[in-house]
Amino acid sequence: MLQAERKEVLKSVQKGEPFATGYQLLYRGVLKPFKVWEIPMEALIYNQYNGRIGSVVKSYEKQSHTLNPELDSDITLIETFLWESKKEANKNTLDSLRKTGQIKFGIVSSDGVIIDGNRRASLMNKILKDPHSIQEEKDRCKFFKAVILPESATKKDILQLETSFQMGEDEKVDYNPIEKYLKCKDLEDAGFTRDEIASFMGINKKEVDQNIEILELMDMYLGFYEYDGIYTMAEGHEDSFQKLNIALKQYKSGVANMWNYTDEDINNMLGVAFDYIRLNLPQNDIRDIFRKPTQNSSSIFGSKERWNRFFENHQEIVSSYTEKPIEDYVKNASGIDITPCLQARDADWRKKLTPVMTATFKKAQDEIDSQLNSNAPIILINKANSALDSIDSSSNGFKNNADSISKGLDDLIKKAKFLKAQING
């Protein structure tokens, strides 16, 4: 059913009796009561950019074509993406829909685009298409219960509602982090401020800032390996990108200025970090590349000499392997997604480089450990001096425990003399 036909059906529906009234929605900043209508399933289409499948859809569209939810072939793809996004939860919801029908109301636009409820609608359609469904089950799924927004609802109105319902509810904590990053960027591109985005998503502005920064970092990572826009190739590395983003901000602001590194040094460090993320180095180890040095920790980038040696070795390692063009991997691709082909490319790269990259990284880690161990005595002595400096000799506690304190100080003096004797041989 095309847009004009869908609009007419929804107008006709609203001439009858509503299924329910008084359903509260925050619309244009005001909590308003809406009517809930029973809409024929055939008068609805999916929102292919639904928050739950946003990264998969955008990855697919980058690889193939823009999805059209009015075409049968693309409808099948969208339904596949929705099913795969949360397979176990979908099975449970499917069983519930068969037994009781739709309980939670959805939201649709005046022309039948599902704003909230794409997953439920796809499962209802699954029941309707299933030849094994009994008539009673099909009858429960013929109509989608939803609010129909007024024709005056703008794209911004719809995005706000969509985000608030998909990602702003406390119980909806199972979204892929990349979906949240993409949603922040989509909303900003639509003209919303970051404060508004934070309100819609139920987070604070700082998190919005971080989400957009991390997405920019992921875009750089994907571009580094010619995977531009294929966000499925960044999945599973979100923690590493978060830690890398924190370190980059510290280095760029000068907060972590241990040596006179340049912008080129930072860019080189970023490229090395990307390679180790691609290598699937554990997130805790990844931090040893770029962590801001402290008294009790350091990183490969934390020392100019260590970094220059490591970077020179790394360049030799990665240049020793010439990757086949992406086209060689995807020319025989089958199915709806070329991601497995790109994963095969990464797997070949890892197979060749993992042993030598891991050995080089472990050697740098050992060097860091040796440095920290050699620094340990002075760190402990500085801590002891700080502890002594913090003692208030005028306090009652100091005077009332004079004997014990005197004995403790004598012990400290003896230990200090012993350690000094060790230095003097």
Side-chain angles (χ1 to χ4, degrees), residues 51-308:
R52 193 179 296 278
I53 59 171
S55 63
V56 177
V57 168
K58 290 189 178 188
S59 296
Y60 176 82
E61 290 186 337
K62 183 71 178 179
Q63 302 164 36
S64 183
H65 67 278
T66 300
L67 294 176
N68 181 351
E70 292 181 336
L71 295 178
D72 288 344
S73 57
D74 286 353
I75 290 171
T76 299
L77 283 175
I78 295 168
E79 288 178 338
T80 299
F81 293 146
L82 286 166
W83 176 261
E84 295 293 332
S85 70
K86 206 69 180 172
K87 193 176 290 186
E88 287 306 312
N90 283 335
K91 290 177 182 177
N92 293 333
T93 305
L94 190 67
D95 288 340
S96 174
L97 287 168
R98 287 186 184 278
K99 294 172 183 175
T100 61
Q102 180 192 354
I103 297 174
K104 189 172 176 114
F105 303 145
I107 305 172
V108 304
S109 66
S110 61
D111 58 353
V113 178
I114 302 172
I115 296 165
D116 183 62
N118 280 269
R119 188 174 68 92
R120 273 164 286 151
S122 71
L123 297 174
M124 291 168 71
N125 277 323
K126 190 178 186 71
I127 291 170
L128 290 171
K129 295 174 186 176
D130 184 359
H132 298 104
S133 297
I134 62 175
Q135 191 58 44
E136 188 179 353
E137 293 171 342
K138 291 185 177 183
D139 289 343
R140 293 190 183 108
C141 297
K142 285 181 178 178
F143 298 94
F144 188 67
K145 302 178 186 72
V147 168
I148 301 174
L149 293 180
E151 288 191 58
S152 60
T154 65
K155 182 179 178 181
K156 288 185 71 172
D157 293 331
I158 290 171
L159 272 172
Q160 177 181 350
L161 276 170
E162 178 186 78
T163 305
S164 299
F165 270 79
Q166 290 176 359
M167 295 185 175
E169 297 180 22
D170 292 339
E171 69 269 20
K172 294 189 176 180
V173 295
D174 58 348
Y175 276 82
N176 182 325
I178 298 179
E179 314 293 359
K180 296 179 182 180
Y181 305 154
L182 287 170
K183 181 58 71 174
C184 286
K185 186 65 167 63
D186 287 345
L187 289 167
E188 185 170 60
D189 290 345
F192 289 106
T193 68
R194 295 193 179 183
D195 284 321
E196 288 174 324
I197 296 169
S199 175
F200 303 160
M201 296 183 67
I203 57 180
N204 59 50
K205 181 181 175 294
K206 183 178 179 181
E207 289 179 84
V208 175
D209 294 339
Q210 290 173 344
N211 287 349
I212 292 175
E213 289 165 1
I214 294 168
L215 182 64
E216 290 172 353
L217 205 51
M218 284 185 173
D219 284 334
M220 291 174 64
Y221 170 83
L222 294 172
F224 204 69
Y225 304 109
E226 301 178 79
Y227 300 154
D228 305 71
I230 306 177
Y231 291 102
T232 47
M233 291 302 294
E235 286 181 352
H237 301 303
E238 295 87 2
D239 285 344
S240 293
F241 285 118
Q242 288 173 8
K243 297 297 186 296
L244 180 56
N245 182 56
I246 292 170
L248 278 176
K249 289 198 290 186
Q250 291 173 329
Y251 289 125
K252 288 180 178 179
S253 68
V255 171
N257 197 353
M258 319 77 53
W259 51 280
N260 293 322
Y261 53 77
T262 64
D263 288 343
E264 182 180 0
D265 291 321
I266 293 177
N267 288 334
N268 290 339
M269 181 265 284
L270 187 60
V272 171
F274 284 168
D275 281 343
Y276 276 93
I277 289 173
R278 190 186 188 194
L279 195 74
N280 283 334
L281 192 72
Q283 181 247 327
N284 285 338
D285 287 333
I286 282 282
R287 289 183 295 177
D288 286 345
I289 296 173
F290 48 73
R291 179 193 288 111
K292 172 188 171 183
T294 66
Q295 276 193 333
N296 300 313
S297 67
S298 190
S299 66
I300 297 172
F301 193 69
S303 159
K304 179 177 182 179
E305 293 74 19
R306 180 165 58 243
W307 169 249
N308 286 338

